[in-house]
mmCIF file of all heavy atoms in Angstrom:
data_model
loop_
_atom_site.group_PDB
_atom_site.id
_atom_site.type_symbol
_atom_site.label_atom_id
_atom_site.label_comp_id
_atom_site.label_asym_id
_atom_site.label_seq_id
_atom_site.Cartn_x
_atom_site.Cartn_y
_atom_site.Cartn_z
ATOM 1 N N ASP N 33 139.587 -105.432 51.518
ATOM 2 C CA ASP N 33 139.005 -104.506 52.452
ATOM 3 C C ASP N 33 137.467 -104.759 52.486
ATOM 4 O O ASP N 33 136.914 -104.599 53.580
ATOM 5 C CB ASP N 33 139.266 -102.955 52.014
ATOM 6 C CG ASP N 33 140.632 -102.530 52.405
ATOM 7 O OD1 ASP N 33 141.335 -103.351 52.918
ATOM 8 O OD2 ASP N 33 141.011 -101.429 52.029
ATOM 9 N N MET N 38 132.686 -106.520 55.200
ATOM 10 C CA MET N 38 131.547 -107.350 55.284
ATOM 11 C C MET N 38 131.491 -108.321 56.421
ATOM 12 O O MET N 38 130.478 -108.392 57.137
ATOM 13 C CB MET N 38 131.532 -108.229 53.979
ATOM 14 C CG MET N 38 130.380 -109.258 53.809
ATOM 15 S SD MET N 38 130.423 -110.223 52.312
ATOM 16 C CE MET N 38 131.852 -111.316 52.491
ATOM 17 N N LEU N 71 133.838 -117.478 50.084
ATOM 18 C CA LEU N 71 134.039 -116.088 49.708
ATOM 19 C C LEU N 71 134.196 -116.028 48.072
ATOM 20 O O LEU N 71 134.994 -116.708 47.555
ATOM 21 C CB LEU N 71 135.186 -115.546 50.411
ATOM 22 C CG LEU N 71 135.617 -114.134 50.071
ATOM 23 C CD1 LEU N 71 134.550 -113.148 50.332
ATOM 24 C CD2 LEU N 71 136.896 -113.738 50.698
ATOM 25 N N TYR N 88 112.089 -113.382 48.780
ATOM 26 C CA TYR N 88 112.976 -113.542 49.828
ATOM 27 C C TYR N 88 112.968 -112.298 50.733
ATOM 28 O O TYR N 88 112.943 -111.106 50.224
ATOM 29 C CB TYR N 88 114.392 -113.809 49.276
ATOM 30 C CG TYR N 88 115.452 -114.395 50.260
ATOM 31 C CD1 TYR N 88 115.529 -115.730 50.456
ATOM 32 C CD2 TYR N 88 116.150 -113.570 51.120
ATOM 33 C CE1 TYR N 88 116.417 -116.283 51.366
ATOM 34 C CE2 TYR N 88 117.049 -114.049 52.044
ATOM 35 C CZ TYR N 88 117.134 -115.447 52.091
ATOM 36 O OH TYR N 88 117.986 -115.883 53.062
ATOM 37 N N SER N 149 106.947 -100.670 47.778
ATOM 38 C CA SER N 149 105.997 -99.662 47.505
ATOM 39 C C SER N 149 106.666 -98.358 48.035
ATOM 40 O O SER N 149 107.460 -98.401 49.020
ATOM 41 C CB SER N 149 104.645 -99.858 48.271
ATOM 42 O OG SER N 149 104.957 -99.809 49.697
ATOM 43 N N SER N 150 106.168 -97.146 47.429
ATOM 44 C CA SER N 150 106.803 -95.939 47.866
ATOM 45 C C SER N 150 106.470 -95.640 49.310
ATOM 46 O O SER N 150 107.224 -95.056 50.065
ATOM 47 C CB SER N 150 106.372 -94.793 46.990
ATOM 48 O OG SER N 150 104.996 -94.807 46.896
ATOM 49 N N LEU N 155 108.796 -94.719 54.734
ATOM 50 C CA LEU N 155 108.841 -94.990 56.159
ATOM 51 C C LEU N 155 110.366 -95.421 56.640
ATOM 52 O O LEU N 155 110.866 -94.969 57.525
ATOM 53 C CB LEU N 155 107.932 -96.171 56.499
ATOM 54 C CG LEU N 155 106.467 -95.732 56.532
ATOM 55 C CD1 LEU N 155 105.543 -97.094 56.816
ATOM 56 C CD2 LEU N 155 106.175 -94.774 57.754
ATOM 57 N N MET N 160 115.889 -94.237 58.580
ATOM 58 C CA MET N 160 117.374 -94.221 58.308
ATOM 59 C C MET N 160 117.933 -92.766 58.515
ATOM 60 O O MET N 160 119.027 -92.511 58.992
ATOM 61 C CB MET N 160 117.621 -94.635 56.879
ATOM 62 C CG MET N 160 117.526 -96.039 56.622
ATOM 63 S SD MET N 160 118.644 -97.051 57.750
ATOM 64 C CE MET N 160 117.354 -97.870 58.668
ATOM 65 N N VAL N 179 138.616 -84.273 72.828
ATOM 66 C CA VAL N 179 139.253 -82.972 73.035
ATOM 67 C C VAL N 179 139.424 -82.660 74.561
ATOM 68 O O VAL N 179 140.515 -82.318 74.981
ATOM 69 C CB VAL N 179 138.395 -81.792 72.466
ATOM 70 C CG1 VAL N 179 138.937 -80.520 72.835
ATOM 71 C CG2 VAL N 179 138.423 -81.910 70.933
ATOM 72 N N GLU N 186 147.618 -83.678 78.386
ATOM 73 C CA GLU N 186 148.695 -82.955 77.686
ATOM 74 C C GLU N 186 148.815 -81.624 78.386
ATOM 75 O O GLU N 186 147.874 -80.981 78.811
ATOM 76 C CB GLU N 186 148.440 -82.872 76.261
ATOM 77 C CG GLU N 186 148.600 -84.251 75.537
ATOM 78 C CD GLU N 186 147.939 -84.192 74.136
ATOM 79 O OE1 GLU N 186 147.956 -83.199 73.522
ATOM 80 O OE2 GLU N 186 147.638 -85.322 73.768
#
Side-chain angles (χ1 to χ4, degrees):
D33 284 357
M38 172 181 72
L71 173 63
Y88 195 92
S149 70
S150 54
L155 286 173
M160 286 304 113
V179 170
E186 288 160 29

